[in-house]
Amino acid sequence: FPFKKICICGSCGGSVTAEIKYRRTKANIVNSHIYYHCNRIRKYDCPEPYITEQELIKQLIGYLPEIKLNTLYLMQEFGVEVKRLQHLKSTVLYEQVPKIEVTPHSKSNGFDGHSEKIDMLRDYLLHVLQFGTPEERIKILSGVKSKFRLVDRQLLFL
């Protein structure tokens, strides 16, 4: 449950937990859904409702331009992913892969190299949020410095 670390309950200030619920459809297919909600340790009758993981991801993506990032950590994680991709291409696809430069450099056309790096990391974060496994999401969210409150199924900056 990757989003437990970046969220707190907006009503009681307690931590947020998650659970998986399974539901069988009429066609006998089992669907699973992940819900996040207050763990109710601080206040047993906390009124905060649950939020689905998909809705939480959608709202978090909306905050991407404003999220504070640990750029050093995220650049290391991005570098590992680039190396994995290069290895996959060379060993499985037998392609000669040109060495990819992980750190963008300042260009003479006036672009700031630091803002390019931040944009690249935000794109990487977006990719992992949309398509990553829970383990990849946990790892990448360790590089997010911003914290959020869950208030009435809404994700808000702390």
Side-chain angles (χ1 to χ4, degrees):
F1 303 116
F3 303 101
K4 290 179 3 176
K5 300 270 187 205
I6 64 168
C7 298
I8 65 165
C9 175
S11 291
C12 70
S15 58
V16 170
T17 190
E19 58 186 288
I20 301 175
K21 295 288 187 174
Y22 299 96
R23 188 173 196 164
R24 190 174 301 274
T25 64
K26 289 182 181 180
N28 208 23
I29 298 170
V30 177
N31 288 332
S32 64
H33 302 280
I34 298 175
Y35 296 97
Y36 287 81
H37 57 85
C38 178
N39 66 8
R40 291 175 172 75
I41 287 178
R42 281 195 171 177
K43 185 177 175 187
Y44 181 73
D45 58 347
C46 181
E48 279 304 317
Y50 67 87
I51 184 171
T52 65
E53 185 173 68
Q54 291 306 315
E55 181 59 31
L56 199 142
I57 290 170
K58 191 185 321 178
Q59 290 183 30
L60 188 59
I61 287 171
Y63 283 112
L64 275 181
E66 303 147 38
I67 289 177
K68 292 182 182 124
L69 303 174
N70 179 341
T71 55
L72 182 61
Y73 174 80
L74 290 173
M75 283 303 289
Q76 289 172 343
E77 290 300 315
F78 185 65
V80 168
E81 287 300 313
V82 168
K83 286 179 185 172
R84 285 183 62 221
L85 176 61
Q86 288 172 330
H87 184 264
L88 175 71
K89 286 181 122 183
S90 65
T91 58
V92 176
L93 301 175
Y94 304 108
E95 291 181 15
Q96 285 296 347
V97 181
K99 191 76 172 158
I100 298 173
E101 184 70 32
V102 174
T103 306
H105 298 286
S106 295
K107 297 188 170 71
S108 59
N109 60 6
F111 288 112
D112 176 18
H114 181 71
S115 66
E116 268 185 47
K117 180 168 59 171
I118 298 295
D119 290 343
M120 180 178 65
L121 291 176
R122 289 187 198 289
D123 290 342
Y124 174 53
L125 183 59
L126 175 63
H127 170 75
V128 173
L129 287 174
Q130 290 178 320
F131 304 107
T133 64
E135 292 81 16
E136 291 169 333
R137 288 177 181 159
I138 289 170
K139 192 180 281 189
I140 199 75
L141 287 173
S142 296
V144 173
K145 292 180 180 178
S146 299
K147 300 294 181 196
F148 297 89
R149 290 182 358 208
L150 276 175
V151 180
D152 200 27
R153 295 191 177 112
Q154 296 296 312
L155 196 61
L156 304 171
F157 262 116
L158 265 179

